[in-house]
Amino acid sequence: MSDIKKVVLAYSGGLDTSVIVRWLQETYNCEVVTFTADLGQGEEVEPARAKAEALGVKEIYIDDLREEFVRDFVFPMFRANTIYEGEYLLGTSIARPLIAKRLIEIANETGADAISHGATGKGNDQVRFELGAYALKPGVAVIAPWREWDLTSRETLMAYCEEHNIPVDFSGGKKKSPYSMDANLLHISYEGGVLEEPWAEAEEDMWRWTVAPEQAPDEPTYIELTYVNGDITAINGEVLSPATVLENLNKIGGANGIGRLDIVENRFVGMKARGCYETPGGTIMMKAHRAIESITLDREAAHLKDELMPRYAKLIYNGFWWSEERKMLQQMIDYSQRYVNGDVRLKLYKGNVIVVGRRSDDSLFDESIATFEDDAGSYNQKDAEGFIKLNALRMRIASSKGRNLLED
Amino acid sequence: MSDIKKVVLAYSGGLDTSVIVRWLQETYNCEVVTFTADLGQGEEVEPARAKAEALGVKEIYIDDLREEFVRDFVFPMFRANTIYEGEYLLGTSIARPLIAKRLIEIANETGADAISHGATGKGNDQVRFELGAYALKPGVAVIAPWREWDLTSRETLMAYCEEHNIPVDFSGGKKKSPYSMDANLLHISYEGGVLEEPWAEAEEDMWRWTVAPEQAPDEPTYIELTYVNGDITAINGEVLSPATVLENLNKIGGANGIGRLDIVENRFVGMKARGCYETPGGTIMMKAHRAIESITLDREAAHLKDELMPRYAKLIYNGFWWSEERKMLQQMIDYSQRYVNGDVRLKLYKGNVIVVGRRSDDSLFDESIATFEDDAGSYNQKDAEGFIKLNALRMRIASSKGRNLLED
Amino acid sequence: MSDIKKVVLAYSGGLDTSVIVRWLQETYNCEVVTFTADLGQGEEVEPARAKAEALGVKEIYIDDLREEFVRDFVFPMFRANTIYEGEYLLGTSIARPLIAKRLIEIANETGADAISHGATGKGNDQVRFELGAYALKPGVAVIAPWREWDLTSRETLMAYCEEHNIPVDFSGGKKKSPYSMDANLLHISYEGGVLEEPWAEAEEDMWRWTVAPEQAPDEPTYIELTYVNGDITAINGEVLSPATVLENLNKIGGANGIGRLDIVENRFVGMKARGCYETPGGTIMMKAHRAIESITLDREAAHLKDELMPRYAKLIYNGFWWSEERKMLQQMIDYSQRYVNGDVRLKLYKGNVIVVGRRSDDSLFDESIATFEDDAGSYNQKDAEGFIKLNALRMRIASSKGRNLLED
Amino acid sequence: MSDIKKVVLAYSGGLDTSVIVRWLQETYNCEVVTFTADLGQGEEVEPARAKAEALGVKEIYIDDLREEFVRDFVFPMFRANTIYEGEYLLGTSIARPLIAKRLIEIANETGADAISHGATGKGNDQVRFELGAYALKPGVAVIAPWREWDLTSRETLMAYCEEHNIPVDFSGGKKKSPYSMDANLLHISYEGGVLEEPWAEAEEDMWRWTVAPEQAPDEPTYIELTYVNGDITAINGEVLSPATVLENLNKIGGANGIGRLDIVENRFVGMKARGCYETPGGTIMMKAHRAIESITLDREAAHLKDELMPRYAKLIYNGFWWSEERKMLQQMIDYSQRYVNGDVRLKLYKGNVIVVGRRSDDSLFDESIATFEDDAGSYNQKDAEGFIKLNALRMRIASSKGRNLLED
């Protein structure tokens, strides 16, 4: 412990990580470098500078990572139609590897020998931060104060603040939320409080990014998304950067009551936890991406992706973004997207994302073959007979040899 | 061909299959047995008797298969959270193996040597019917008139009717729908017509089972579903049979604008096709089943199911219900459901199915461990350090041996 | 720590676990119950009784688990053709869950609150023992001396023995092997020593169960194995119990130089390790089981098993025998074996296991269809045309729409 | 039919395909272009020229494809450790897409509108040829004489030859083999004859490329293979081209009795068939590739490859080499090989391929961590405790909530 000289801390500017700054300085007698990222969480990051300075921090990093976040993390993930456990769009998970990467880059720049974060010992985020850190700098030390210290109740924490002259009104007078929250351009999440009872309905005033479907406009909103290689490049014909795409979709989706989710999920550390999420833009993207793939992707390519998706999602959820196996899957996924180009038209209405049209110069939809009308010979219906007969052959043989295929 | 003596036809009572009755009698000079099933398609099946009689059919089977359909086909499929290509709930696919089974049972009872159906040579249904038939009676002959005859346009069909005295007003004066449709308790489907252009929005008056979300009530509906071994046994505390469960959910869902779907899907025969579906009850069941599993299913059991689900869905879509591999997967799925018991509370509102609560005597959710509050020692946060370190070890070794894990 | 009253130790009777007995008594001031299992490791287990008594142990369990081991663990695993990382037949892995089960059963019988084992902190066995223990008795304490104590060198261990009057000549005068070994009816394993250099060839005198292929008889041995539901029930027509089957195959295989393996494998704890294994009977069983399945198993059933096998193998390797996901897979595997009946004839010769015949009343091999000669119409070659055309359709469409399927 | 003007035939120069030349000329009244490939089948291809000329063929293609075959087809396949149904190394399957590619290239060069081949309607090869042809030239016509003509017995074939002046002694006086055979650099295969009885042992004089293990040298042969990016580039330090690598390994392997296989396999068209194969070089390559991967590949990368391998093998077996899904998997596989560099040392002895050493500059084997000796702190054994505890957590919770994890 005692030989740590400098530690880079993922610093939000909030009370908890401010306490960590002081606690690291005291406990490890080391220099603390703070790193604050703008990932689109919707709060100013610049105020973190003054707070860090007030805590005696000399090296302060404040980065706008929004474009990198969406371009190199969110978009690649959406190419796979990634959903964890059938529901969760991985809003928190996907931000962690980027933060880990920057922590390590800053450690390398500043000559730090350790990194630190404010995640608890029960959650997934500690795993995601630390797997990333160890992968990118194998000799780094990791300090996870929540696993070490004894400031485990609000009271002891407050006492510590008082003792160390840390202003507790870090939230600017705002009432402390009863929920543990995390936000970035992809989503905002809520855990804890009344959510710890899975039978209890989430309270309406918890949600921050979306209106309730009941409060959304009575008129639907139609939008058109343009895809190039599986990524959205324009909304309603206007070319936009990745982060701007997501910002816009968040606004449009949030206004239409889209993207709320309330689930019980399985954490990597082995427990079940209730979480609520708002992912307005992501929810739209998920639906639209499947729609553009539906006309441009080969059937078996789509099925291969679908079969591997849960595994890919689990890798991201569990924090293995920088692993070889995630990168192998990504190679495959990215390759599959070279024809995923075209437009999707959506109707958004009170929580619903409804696909109403899809078109592409790379479409594999062949009207002349699919039609119920005369297809002018482009498909020979008689081919189906042989197709079926040989697909049936192994079952016919089994049955003719006396196996009863009706029985279980 | 000429040695077929008796054929069992899947007979709807509509114009097309009535033409088939006559065409079979003439072309094969054989006796036709009709089989009409009530699968909850929402139309009377009894009128098919008089129509068949008028066509000279002597052996007429009219069966109410609704309970068998939901109990032995729909429910088992929903235990797997089955979705084809991320969207389709397999409403048509899941009915076909039951029809195939009954066709073969009736062939065995009546001494028929062939079965016949009214599915076209371009679709999936021919495959599903025929794979089932060959699996259950390997020596059966299959007659698929749409792959054989020359009645390929409306005009030639009408001329045939006139020539053979088949009343064309089989629809009782109702205007012929521009869509090809299929219905059963699980869903109603639409193909053809304007849907053949994937960029065209479906017309509002196409939909039959659901109101538009815009027309749904302004007040949400709350319901509570009770699960036993993965199947719903009660709604709002009222114990119901499988078919009745689905009928009720269809009504509730349809009234709340739930379950519309508009997709381009990949058929087994190799083409892409646009389809629209209404699956109100199924859409509710899908969401609710995941919710009850979320608290009762082990994490890795859930993930194993998720990874195998696309494959299971494809088997059903492609018509392999009676195959060994589907039954193997079913063994695994059914086994996993022995603790999937409890209640799910849902809020239904204008197309949205929102889970607001889940509870179970078999819950694996452990508040004392998951809590952000003091857990009284039931979880040792320090365990996470070793957990992470060993999970990271292989990446740390790779990195320390000079591999750059940042690069693609 | 201090509140442990009684601990059940997996006791081999060797020096290391004898030291552990004393160390547990001293360190935890608790009673030690020893459990010694005969798993067919080829050494007498009864002598462990006197050694345990000499160490003051009052409750001594010595069990012959050979039949249970083969019947309930080895055979079920072989039904899946289980191989880890393409090579390893899991000889050590599959014994651990049974030992864990007995440790817990004995803990329950004797009122012990802890279990202990002699596995090191670097290997897989600690994981397998402890996952089993925690799964079957969630509140049990686990003591893993090698992770705790400071007897990490041979010298300190010897000093401890001298100090505590533990006779070091536990091996009865035999020279201590330079390898770390583990043996049971399925295999014997070697690690450590010169094997720690992966470029170094294993020394001939390391191997104990098999002769070198060079030393095996110049005449081949033919044997015939009879399968019922995927398990061997007779050798050369003689009905044998599971353990006796494996004992016999070990003898026959060992005499013919069969079953040596030299690999570098990936441990669950994250490192690569070199291991050498002798699995004479298992190597024969693996080959023979595939052969009987080749004529009795449906194609897609076989492929499904093949695709899931690596996952099943990994679960066993990693110690998750008692997990829900392993049991789900087992349900599926066992179900698939209901027709895996019949005989396999093998030629064994200097390390080679050669299948020379397979037959079954449940065979799906259909000579009349497969023949190159006239098949009397049981297969219509023209069916292949439609089969191919529709299998090609999606690629034909892609190609006709301008995609170049030659390019990567 | 009648509008086919020119057809490219895969022409071996043997009797059957010579009959096809004439039959095509007569039946379709079209010009025939012959294409004969040297794939290393071990027979001269140049004599095919005179034979084709004698049949009036004007455009004759004779290509040496050996290097392309091994470099672009065999090597990529071995990167995946590809085995079909646990046994078959896909020697025939992997040659077909290359032949299909050349058939289409020649069709494009010569303005042909059709291709033809001599494969029967029961086998896999027709599928492989035709899927390739349709994929690469969607409008091409395919003529498969064996599915069309009535020359289905040796007698009718001979009568046809006599009638059309086709010299029947095409085999140069050699006795016609009782087996249907196929050969290329990767293997030679045998089907038919006595092999149609799965209980019958193959006759020793059937095998052509390998000596029986009994006849192999009494002294082992040691070789050293050098890998670069997963492909062998040198044998015993001598740098060799891909085809030369395989030629050499075939010789060495064949001389040591390596690579015989006797199986019943499942064909894509739905039947089981007995096949015998000799794959001496491929058998060595398979074992060696796993060995070099064992020290250079990340664990989860290896496992991902293992889990997808059966699927990749099936794609090749079924003829989908040119499909999108095969190419997606190939992207992933090839990417994984960028560190698969180094040397493997093998001992070959009477049918056995024994790995005796592996080394690499890219090795992930870390002696300092794996050692049983003092590791100087590079691995903290205490980390294992937390690792195990959190891996066990979900089972501990299930068990503590009353589930009995012992029961099935």
Side-chain angles (χ1 to χ4, degrees), chain C residues 329-347:
Chain C
L329 289 170
Q330 196 71 53
Q331 289 284 324
M332 197 190 72
I333 293 160
D334 290 355
Y335 175 79
S336 76
Q337 302 293 294
R338 66 204 187 290
Y339 296 112
V340 182
N341 308 313
D343 305 313
V344 176
R345 194 161 163 262
L346 299 167
K347 175 183 173 184

Side-chain angles (χ1 to χ4, degrees), chain A residues 311-350:
Chain A
R311 182 173 195 139
Y312 175 83
K314 186 174 186 168
L315 287 173
I316 294 176
Y317 186 86
N318 287 356
F320 288 98
W321 180 264
W322 299 109
S323 73
E324 180 73 0
E325 64 273 23
R326 201 280 308 172
K327 286 183 273 188
M328 285 170 65
L329 289 170
Q330 196 72 53
Q331 290 284 325
M332 196 190 73
I333 293 159
D334 289 356
Y335 175 79
S336 76
Q337 302 293 293
R338 66 204 186 290
Y339 296 113
V340 181
N341 308 314
D343 305 312
V344 175
R345 194 160 164 265
L346 298 167
K347 175 183 172 184
L348 312 178
Y349 174 71
K350 287 188 187 286

